Structure formats: structure tokens, C-alpha cells
Amino acid sequence: MDALVSTEWLAGELGASDLRVVDATYFLPSDGKDAAAAYEAAHIPGAVFMDLAELADTSTDLPMMLPTPEKFASRMQSLGLGDGSRVVLYDSSPYRTSARAWFMLRTFGAHDVAILDGGFAKWQAEGRETASGKEQLRHRHFTVWADSKGVRTLDQMKANLDTGAEQVLDARSAARFSGEEPDPRPATHAGHIPGSKNLPVGELFKPDGSWKRGDALRATFEGAGIDLAKPLVTTCGSGITASVLAFGAHLLGNEAAVYDGSWSEWGADRSTPKAMGAA
């Protein structure tokens, strides 16, 4: 299974015994939308709803930090996602949140994970079948496991300021990155991590909402000053759209890491240096 699959491919695979389809839509509280209610109103037949808001570390004030491996495995088991499952993720969020689910699943040991190109919007636009209500869930075993090599911490990001070993790429808007626009979180400084580059996440997509591919996608990263042959860490506001950049890099063969705390951690920490202006 490719990392990015088409609606046509998924339609042909629906019903396969090892296939699990997951709606990973997430909205910010300020959006005033209910992702769970939207799922129950309409979803791809057989799809289960992964609640990203609930799949977070509740022991920290930082938003959307990775949960413990035990909590993640327990939630996956209850959704019927188990060892040996092929998982296809989709969303209907402007933040492309299926990429955050992809990052989490890979971090916690699932390997056969893909994202549906164009998401639920493309599925619906093509007039494909949808279902409503909740799906019947069957518990499956998901081994508790974690690999932190794709996750960066605050201390690692501070150390990288001195070594420059890894390129840092920020998915936020140009105005947020430059500091022209204040951060929406209280007591969080404006600006960006010194030395980081900026690639607003929307630039990875075509006008129809599908992913850029091949040379077009590569040119987007290179236009932001990134050498995809070198190590890369992605960041954003809270680790969600950073995961989108990481998925885009993955499509081009670069296994980028994600700074999980992102700007909500760095920008609120008084000990970290902040830069202003364009990259």
C-alpha cells in the first residue's frame, strides 16, 4: 500500500478483511465545529472515528502532545485497529489532520498506514457512497510500542541551535512565522525558532485539495530553502500541521522528525531565543 492512496483505489479495497478506514478529522475549539458529529452525519462506509483531541497527553498544559504508548494502544484496540491492519486515514479538516494521525500511528508502531488523497471532500465530490451513525467496533490487539526517533523535544531543539545538524521547517502562516501577526495563545511570544525556514502548509496542495506530487512537491520544499537530502525537523503551532510537512517530506524520501511541542512550547518558554522577520 502506498503512503498516499486514491479514492478509486480505496473504493476497490473497501470490505477487505485487513483494511481499516479511519476518519481523523479535528477542528480547533475556535472553529465552532464538532468533528464527531460531522463523522456521524456522513463518513466513508466502515470508517471509525479517531478523536485526536482525546488522543493527547493530559498531564501537560501544552496542546496535542503525544499520549503515552499505553493510552494510544488502548484507544486503537477499542477502535478495532490492530497488529497487521492496513490503515487508511482521511479527514475533512482545513488542517489536514489525517497527517497527525499518520505521524502518531507510525510513532507507536503501525507501519502499513496511508492517507487518502483529497480526503472526504474528494470522496463526496465523486458521488461515492457514504454512511451515517456509528460503526460497530470490534476490539483488536494493538501492541504497546513506541519509537521516538521521529519526535523532537525542547532540549533537542535547543541543542540543534548550536549544532545546526537538522534543518527546521515551520508550517505556520508567513505572518505568524515573521511575528507580524501575534500568536493566538496567551503569554506566547511571536516569531519563530532562530534559523528555521517557513513553508505554510497550504502550499503542499493543488487547488482541488489533492497533494502535489513528484517534482512539483519537491520544488515547494526547495523553494522554502530545504535540502531534502539532509535531516529535517518540522514544527508549527501545536504539532498538527508540522505532521503534514513531515508527510510531504516522506513522500519525497525524507523521514523528517516532528517537534511535538512546537511553537506552543517554544514561544511560551522564556528561556528560548525567538527570531522575527522572514526566513
Side-chain angles (χ1 to χ4, degrees):
M1 188 170 67
D2 293 336
L4 190 64
V5 299
S6 68
T7 50
E8 182 180 14
W9 180 91
L10 180 58
E13 289 289 313
L14 281 184
S17 61
D18 64 336
L19 183 74
R20 299 291 174 269
V21 184
V22 178
D23 184 327
T25 300
Y26 169 80
F27 299 113
L28 294 174
S30 58
D31 293 329
K33 295 182 178 180
D34 186 332
Y39 160 81
E40 288 193 34
H43 56 263
I44 294 175
V48 297
F49 177 66
M50 182 186 289
D51 189 349
L52 293 181
E54 198 272 336
L55 267 174
D57 183 356
T58 54
S59 68
T60 174
D61 291 336
L62 295 171
M64 304 305 291
M65 294 290 283
L66 287 169
T68 64
E70 292 77 15
K71 178 177 180 177
F72 188 83
S74 173
R75 297 300 186 273
M76 295 308 100
Q77 288 176 171
S78 67
L79 288 177
L81 306 183
D83 300 339
S85 296
R86 289 184 299 155
V87 180
V88 175
L89 304 155
Y90 73 88
D91 67 77
S92 53
S93 168
Y95 317 112
R96 311 288 181 156
T97 49
S98 52
R100 177 67 181 181
W102 171 85
F103 165 68
M104 295 173 80
L105 280 159
R106 292 193 13 122
T107 298
F108 291 118
H111 300 292
D112 216 356
V113 186
I115 289 177
L116 179 64
D117 196 13
F120 193 49
K122 189 171 191 292
W123 184 273
Q124 286 185 301
E126 293 170 348
R128 299 188 186 276
E129 182 184 356
T130 62
S132 60
K134 295 181 178 179
E135 298 286 341
Q136 188 171 0
L137 305 179
R138 193 169 73 184
H139 186 95
R140 290 176 182 269
H141 180 70
F142 189 101
T143 300
V144 178
W145 189 86
D147 183 354
S148 61
K149 74 173 182 289
V151 184
R152 293 293 174 270
T153 64
L154 178 64
D155 286 344
Q156 288 173 317
M157 297 301 290
K158 285 181 176 179
N160 192 62
L161 287 177
D162 297 323
T163 65
E166 295 180 313
Q167 304 167 96
V168 180
L169 186 61
D170 194 318
R172 294 175 300 156
S173 68
R176 287 271 300 282
F177 179 86
S178 68
E180 176 187 342
E181 184 180 300
D183 194 274
R185 301 170 186 84
T188 303
H189 201 284
H192 58 267
I193 298 171
S196 60
K197 304 292 186 182
N198 183 216
L199 178 54
V201 72
E203 295 184 18
L204 302 185
F205 299 90
K206 301 174 187 174
D208 67 357
S210 62
W211 279 84
K212 291 181 180 177
R213 302 296 297 271
D215 290 344
L217 183 59
R218 185 176 299 278
T220 303
F221 279 91
E222 291 175 349
I226 295 299
D227 182 347
L228 288 163
K230 296 180 179 178
L232 176 64
V233 179
T234 63
T235 183
C236 60
S238 62
I240 293 178
T241 53
S243 303
V244 185
L245 291 185
F247 182 77
H250 173 76
L251 292 177
L252 296 169
N254 182 305
E255 297 306 321
V258 171
Y259 172 28
D260 200 33
S262 283
W263 194 252
S264 59
E265 180 175 49
W266 189 280
D269 189 321
R270 298 194 176 203
S271 73
T272 57
K274 287 88 174 173
M276 305 285 277

